[in-house]
Amino acid sequence: QVQLVESGGGLVQAGGSLRLSCAASGRTFSTYAIGWFRQAPGKEREFVAAISWSGGNTYYADSVKGRFTISRDNAKNTVYLQMNSLKPEDTAVYYCAASIKYPSGVATGTSGYGYWGQGTQVTVSS
């Protein structure tokens, strides 16, 4: 079992930055990958970024590549999503998820993740 809690969302102007955190508990943190997904109103949940169990491999959606950075601190059981140069189209609820099945972090679909947090709202104003 894995429990995930996101934090760090909020309202920011376009061009600004936010850092999201995903705090995990339960199963040994360094045995699974973590992914970030987002869901805007009326849209399907989409992949944003993922990081392997060791932090050695990272993956990004094309829409955020070069602007967002995912990292993890296994000593703190926490994964971070640093979001820079935010755009209004980044507005969504952001979720972190744990993948025990794909610890290398390659899963970009929601079906690859078995545990989800409750989400945190990110709103980017123009």
Side-chain angles (χ1 to χ4, degrees):
Q1 285 284 65
V2 177
Q3 294 80 41
L4 302 169
V5 178
E6 303 95 334
S7 61
L11 173 64
V12 64
Q13 288 190 331
S17 298
L18 281 175
R19 188 177 80 157
L20 305 183
S21 298
C22 173
S25 61
R27 183 186 176 104
T28 302
F29 186 63
S30 59
T31 62
Y32 51 87
I34 293 288
W36 283 96
F37 290 76
R38 65 187 181 187
Q39 188 166 20
K43 295 188 176 182
E44 292 193 355
R45 194 168 296 188
E46 65 173 2
F47 172 77
V48 175
I51 189 164
S52 63
W53 65 274
S54 66
N57 294 307
T58 57
Y59 305 87
Y60 296 93
D62 288 343
S63 59
V64 307
K65 206 170 289 184
R67 299 189 298 123
F68 291 10
T69 302
I70 188 170
S71 61
R72 68 190 292 160
D73 185 338
N74 283 355
K76 295 183 178 180
N77 287 9
T78 302
V79 169
Y80 305 98
L81 185 68
Q82 178 67 44
M83 306 186 296
N84 298 329
S85 302
L86 282 162
K87 305 175 181 179
E89 51 263 43
D90 294 318
T91 295
V93 177
Y94 283 70
Y95 300 89
C96 67
S99 177
I100 295 173
K101 187 175 181 181
Y102 301 102
S104 62
V106 297
T108 59
T110 56
S111 61
Y113 295 81
Y115 302 92
W116 293 82
Q118 83 289 350
T120 185
Q121 176 70 47
V122 171
T123 303
V124 184
S125 63
S126 57

